[in-house]
Amino acid sequence: MADLSVQTLGGDTGNLKKIFERIPENGKLLLDGPETIILDEESNMYALLPKLGRIVSLTNLAPSPNDENIIYADVTELASFYGSPLGGNFVPGTKILYFADAILGLCRIDLAKQDPKVELVASKVQLSDGSESPILYADDVDIGRKSGMVYFSDACNIPPERDPDLSYDIMHAYKIDFMRGIKSGRLLRYDPTINKVDVLADGIWFANGIAVDPANEEFVIISETSMMRTLKYHLKGDKVGTLEVMYDRLVGLADGADCNERGDKCYIAIPTTIPGIVQALHHRYMPKILEAALKTLVMMLPKSLAPKPVPYGGVVEITVESGSTTLRLFQDPYGNDMQLITGVAEKDGKVYLGSLHNSFIGVLDLNAS
């Protein structure tokens, strides 16, 4: 059983700073819905913007003269393309960024080049029976530091739809998958030496954020969003090739994931708790026939009437030592300072927080609490 410590995120704690885009000369802001923040080995900062398919860099960070909790940065577009990038990581020692795109699949881009281009690496995977299976909702990426393998999640087999404004509604695809209740998520692995993708694990109810053990590459953690839990896939040891529950019963839906450099602490984004209507539909005393009918009705609703995320923002820190698990939950229970946190990236005692909802990046100082 894990010990749990609950702490406030933001408010008067001083543990949350916000990075806003410095208003450019043309007045057009780029930082809209930074889903995931990525830091390279030199601590240069990048953000993936899935709404309109952009990768941006953040430079010249400086605190506001009027508020110590506000930081301003210049935002520069590095790539714009037909797609919806959700999560990614750099190949160690390079500027080659692998990223999961919910529309395209597994992609990469070499940001060391003067005019970098997005390259599609994989949009399908060959199964053990020789057939090919499309990657319909690539979600997150991490890279093994020892092997160079690229691990990534395929959240479900429902692809996101494009809205009239040409942005992609990745949330609606998740809502349909949740109501449908079919566990179609997968953990995939790409071997760049032979240009091949294989399936490590399947049967996951929306495979979301992933993080590879950075110390010894012994495991991959996976956020199983709809089960509100964290899974561990073993890459080595007696349990190699098996999937087990790392921590169950999180306070809400599990999203992005990351581990610190030592691999002894991992972080999970909690974008929202469960809406009341969803809790009612999944109540254990709900008759199965009625449950199926109501779920079908909800899936048929227009997007404007579909259940909305509950205003909330949370980050869970999981520490595993000698078989015991300790948790710290940083939460903004009403989403006053930051809500719908979807991405986490830990670096030097700070966790950088992405969100589809916000036009800023949160910075949680783990040592300020």
Side-chain angles (χ1 to χ4, degrees):
M1 192 68 174
D3 297 324
L4 175 64
S5 169
V6 180
Q7 301 181 28
T8 300
L9 174 65
D12 298 327
T13 63
N15 65 2
L16 179 66
K17 296 184 185 298
K18 299 177 182 179
I19 303 174
F20 287 90
E21 180 177 358
R22 190 175 288 114
I23 298 176
E25 291 183 1
N26 62 10
K28 185 178 180 180
L29 297 175
L30 294 173
L31 198 63
D32 181 15
E35 156 84 4
T36 298
I37 315 307
I38 304 169
L39 297 140
D40 65 17
E41 292 177 341
E42 292 79 39
S43 297
N44 298 310
M45 187 181 301
Y46 306 85
L48 302 181
L49 311 180
K51 290 183 181 179
L52 292 173
R54 291 193 178 106
I55 301 173
V56 300
S57 64
L58 291 92
T59 56
N60 301 322
L61 277 69
S64 166
N66 303 315
D67 188 338
E68 63 179 4
N69 292 320
I70 299 297
I71 299 169
Y72 289 106
D74 294 330
V75 178
T76 304
E77 182 180 290
L78 302 178
S80 178
F81 52 94
Y82 170 88
S84 186
L86 296 180
N89 263 300
F90 285 99
V91 175
T94 76
K95 292 293 185 182
I96 298 173
L97 174 68
Y98 278 89
F99 64 91
D101 189 287
I103 307 302
L104 302 174
L106 178 65
C107 302
R108 68 181 166 221
I109 183 171
D110 188 351
L111 296 179
K113 294 183 177 179
Q114 186 172 359
D115 185 22
K117 303 294 184 183
V118 172
E119 177 186 359
L120 177 60
V121 176
S123 60
K124 56 190 176 183
V125 56
Q126 187 172 22
L127 304 180
S128 57
D129 62 3
S131 63
E132 292 184 335
S133 172
I135 299 168
L136 295 177
Y137 198 134
D139 197 297
D140 198 14
V141 171
D142 203 0
I143 298 173
R145 298 187 183 183
K146 292 184 177 294
S147 68
M149 295 290 186
V150 180
Y151 302 89
F152 64 107
S153 55
D154 183 22
C156 69
N157 59 9
I158 299 177
E161 296 179 353
R162 201 167 197 179
D163 283 338
D165 65 356
L166 302 183
S167 66
Y168 289 99
D169 190 346
I170 58 177
M171 288 291 292
H172 189 68
Y174 167 71
K175 294 174 185 177
I176 297 299
D177 182 72
F178 185 88
M179 288 297 167
R180 183 187 61 166
I182 297 176
K183 298 181 179 182
S184 61
R186 303 181 290 188
L187 174 64
L188 307 179
R189 175 178 58 189
Y190 170 69
D191 185 344
T193 63
I194 59 174
N195 194 35
K196 183 180 178 181
V197 178
D198 62 339
V199 180
L200 295 182
D202 55 15
I204 302 170
W205 197 0
F206 206 84
N208 205 317
I210 67 167
V212 181
D213 165 31
N216 301 304
E217 201 173 331
E218 293 182 349
F219 60 83
V220 182
I221 68 168
I222 311 159
S223 293
E224 188 175 18
T225 300
S226 298
M227 291 296 289
M228 297 185 292
R229 64 187 184 183
T230 302
L231 306 176
K232 178 190 284 187
Y233 179 85
H234 293 271
L235 297 170
K236 297 178 181 178
D238 296 337
K239 297 181 179 179
V240 62
T242 62
L243 190 67
E244 67 178 3
V245 177
M246 183 178 183
Y247 186 76
D248 206 353
R249 300 183 303 278
L250 293 169
V251 297
L253 303 178
D255 205 307
D258 194 26
C259 296
N260 64 8
E261 291 289 328
R262 297 182 303 277
D264 61 339
K265 290 183 172 65
C266 297
Y267 300 88
I268 309 296
I270 308 293
T272 182
T273 55
I274 304 298
I277 184 174
V278 175
Q279 293 184 39
L281 288 173
H282 287 267
H283 198 282
R284 62 179 177 174
Y285 295 121
M286 173 76 72
K288 293 299 181 181
I289 295 179
L290 179 58
E291 177 184 339
L294 291 175
K295 285 182 178 180
T296 301
L297 178 61
V298 171
M299 286 190 286
M300 294 174 63
L301 290 173
K303 290 183 181 181
S304 60
L305 298 178
K308 301 294 190 296
V310 177
Y312 176 89
V315 178
V316 173
E317 177 189 75
I318 304 176
T319 303
V320 180
E321 293 179 343
S322 302
S324 64
T325 304
T326 303
L327 299 177
R328 272 203 298 176
L329 170 62
F330 300 89
Q331 67 171 355
D332 183 349
Y334 304 106
N336 294 324
D337 277 323
M338 190 166 189
Q339 60 179 284
L340 206 66
I341 297 171
T342 53
V344 287
E346 195 278 342
K347 186 79 170 181
D348 299 330
K350 294 181 172 59
V351 181
Y352 295 82
L353 311 175
S355 170
L356 286 170
H357 176 81
N358 300 315
S359 58
F360 62 86
I361 295 166
V363 184
L364 168 62
D365 188 343
L366 297 169
N367 299 317
S369 303

